Amino acid sequence: MATPLPLDPPTRVLMGPGPSDVAPSVLRALAAPTVGHLDPYFLNVMDDVRAMLRDVLRTGNAVTIPMSGTGSAGMETCFVNLLEPGDAVLVGVNGVFGTRMCEVARRCGAKVTAVEVPWGRAFDVDQFRKAADGKQYRLVCVVHAETSTGVLQNLTGFRGLADELGALLLVDAVTSLGGVAVEMDEWGIDAIYSGTQKCLSCPPGLSPVSLSACTTKVLQNRRSPVQSWYLDLSLIGQYWGTERVYHHTAPINMLYALHESLRLVLSEGLKARHRRHRVHAEALWAGLEAMGLKLPVADGERLAPLTVVEVPEGVNEATVRKHLLDVYNLEIGGGLGPMKGKVWRIGLMGHSSTARNVTLCLSALSSALRAQGYQPADDPLSAAEHVLASCGE
Ligand SMILES: *Cc1c(COP(=O)(O)O)cnc(C)c1O
């Protein structure tokens, strides 16, 4: 085989369900010199990353660790550490990621009760209470931002529910962290996991995990060792703690990148960042609706970082995505599971959430739709610009 040429990836605009665009300074951090995983310089990087992660998660939790692996590794970390065979868990299922939680919990030998509502809807905490049927549980699990459906789950009332059920509250914050408010301590979340490539705008590869003090006790009182040696938090905690005991080689350069992306999040300020995501999403929604497209998620349950939009009659969704990629270098996502072929998923996450990307996406989509004979009802750009102007942009 002839040796391939060096890589020369295209510069895309990433407006799918993740990864999102990565800021140039984060890419530069990745290219910094690799040092050893016990180098004093790197130990400082680790301390900074942990302190910044706590600030972004709004928690004081001692156990706050970026796991080596993507968001799903964070999910798996929480389940394998907190569950033992026979434990009962209650999982909200209204999309792909709740479904995945059930599968991971089952593989841990747990007895899983799924609380189901239609895809595209949020839960009412009473639906969980009803499904719990008066029994006790080890975990109550809920996805904060369902990336497959574009639904934001209000977490009010879930702490109280978990207390009634004798359970810990586990939250998937993969798509919410850095894009919408996440208040780990204030909301009484016991265990949380996230991912780097959504609203934190770092490449995929790390999964921040944080456990409350009482969750850490559950870990210490396990009857059996954690089934996964690689994801065992009691072992990894000794590397991230003061002992600095080797467990596995930390992905050094990925942690440089996370360091830079967390620094960007905190220098922007969490409130300003959440507002930016909200304003750009509202401009996008106004533009899509002006074109005559339907947003299936109710206004109050819509997730700013990820918008689901229905494919109109007679339009081929994959052809539109190909047009956007070929002509505009613009990536948006298709539907997952039962929504495949029926919707697009448009991300405005982290570094991708800009007014310029909103107008680019609306113009590109409008051109791709016209190419298939769909006539947008109104001008999407003036609708979007109206929203941006009224928000001072
Ligand atoms: C992306 C995502 C995951 C999984 O993360 P990977 O990085 O793809 O492993 C889990 N939960 C939610 C809500 C997600 O959006």
Side-chain angles (χ1 to χ4, degrees):
M1 176 196 142
T3 310
L5 293 171
L7 295 178
D8 183 21
T11 305
R12 307 284 198 204
V13 175
L14 298 179
M15 294 182 70
S20 57
D21 283 338
V22 178
S25 67
V26 174
L27 291 175
R28 282 197 297 276
L30 272 172
T34 304
V35 299
H37 68 105
L38 293 172
D39 188 302
Y41 181 84
F42 187 65
L43 300 182
N44 278 326
V45 173
M46 290 168 70
D47 289 345
D48 282 353
V49 165
R50 286 230 288 189
M52 289 193 285
L53 260 184
R54 288 192 186 109
D55 287 351
V56 173
L57 286 163
R58 308 271 298 145
T59 183
N61 289 340
V63 178
T64 302
I65 295 175
M67 298 296 290
S68 307
T70 65
S72 306
M75 182 190 290
E76 191 123 14
T77 297
C78 291
F79 284 107
V80 296
N81 281 276
L82 301 180
L83 291 181
E84 296 193 64
D87 283 348
V89 301
L90 193 60
V91 183
V93 178
N94 58 351
V96 165
F97 296 103
T99 309
R100 185 174 297 180
M101 279 180 156
C102 291
E103 176 63 21
V104 174
R106 269 190 213 106
R107 289 182 185 211
C108 295
K111 286 184 290 200
V112 176
T113 304
V115 189
E116 294 189 59
V117 299
W119 286 38
R121 296 300 314 276
F123 295 98
D124 186 293
V125 73
D126 279 331
Q127 290 165 323
F128 270 71
R129 193 168 276 116
K130 194 151 165 268
D133 201 20
K135 301 197 186 82
Q136 296 281 292
Y137 291 81
R138 165 63 76 203
L139 286 180
V140 167
C141 313
V142 59
V143 177
H144 189 208
E146 221 341 315
T147 324
S148 61
T149 60
V151 169
L152 177 67
Q153 178 63 47
N154 181 343
L155 295 175
T156 309
F158 278 85
R159 174 69 265 157
L161 172 80
D163 288 339
E164 286 166 34
L165 306 180
L168 297 169
L169 177 60
L170 168 64
V171 171
D172 174 321
V174 176
T175 288
S176 50
L177 193 66
V180 299
V182 174
E183 294 283 344
M184 183 163 190
D185 288 358
E186 193 183 316
W187 296 348
I189 298 169
D190 291 301
I192 207 164
Y193 60 88
S194 189
T196 45
Q197 79 274 26
K198 312 257 167 122
C199 296
L200 297 177
S201 275
C202 190
L206 291 172
S207 173
V209 165
S210 184
L211 303 186
S212 69
C214 73
T215 311
T216 312
K217 285 211 190 74
V218 168
L219 204 59
Q220 284 158 356
N221 294 333
R222 286 182 62 98
R223 300 180 301 272
S224 55
V226 173
Q227 75 189 50
S228 165
W229 176 87
Y230 193 70
L231 301 177
D232 184 337
L233 280 171
S234 59
L235 300 176
I236 294 169
Q238 292 175 31
Y239 171 57
W240 281 85
T242 46
E243 307 93 318
R244 309 289 187 183
V245 178
Y246 165 69
H247 176 260
H248 67 273
T249 311
I252 311 290
N253 293 54
M254 267 309 296
L255 284 155
Y256 293 164
L258 181 58
H259 185 282
E260 177 58 16
S261 67
L262 292 172
R263 223 183 52 75
L264 293 179
V265 170
L266 293 169
S267 12
E268 178 174 10
L270 292 173
K271 277 217 175 76
R273 192 175 176 91
H274 301 154
R275 181 175 184 278
R276 170 165 65 83
H277 280 81
R278 182 76 204 177
V279 167
H280 295 147
E282 283 182 3
L284 179 71
W285 300 340
L288 294 170
E289 285 181 326
M291 273 197 263
L293 299 176
K294 288 207 183 67
L295 308 180
V297 178
D299 206 354
E301 298 179 348
R302 257 180 231 159
L303 179 60
L306 195 280
T307 297
V308 168
V309 51
E310 283 175 17
V311 177
E313 277 290 315
V315 169
N316 181 303
E317 80 82 16
T319 309
V320 167
R321 278 191 292 126
K322 186 172 184 316
H323 183 110
L324 298 188
L325 198 65
D326 291 349
V327 181
Y328 297 90
N329 258 316
L330 172 63
E331 178 182 278
I332 67 168
L336 285 181
M339 292 175 145
K340 191 170 158 47
K342 297 181 186 152
V343 300
W344 292 296
R345 291 183 301 151
I346 304 177
L348 283 168
M349 299 182 181
H351 196 61
S352 297
S353 173
T354 63
R356 195 171 72 157
N357 281 351
V358 170
T359 47
L360 168 70
C361 179
L362 290 170
S363 323
L365 193 56
S366 154
S367 130
L369 286 169
R370 280 176 210 279
Q372 287 199 44
Y374 176 90
Q375 287 307 321
D378 269 320
D379 176 21
L381 290 189
S382 57
E385 278 157 14
H386 180 75
V387 173
L388 293 170
S390 69
C391 297
E393 293 214 12

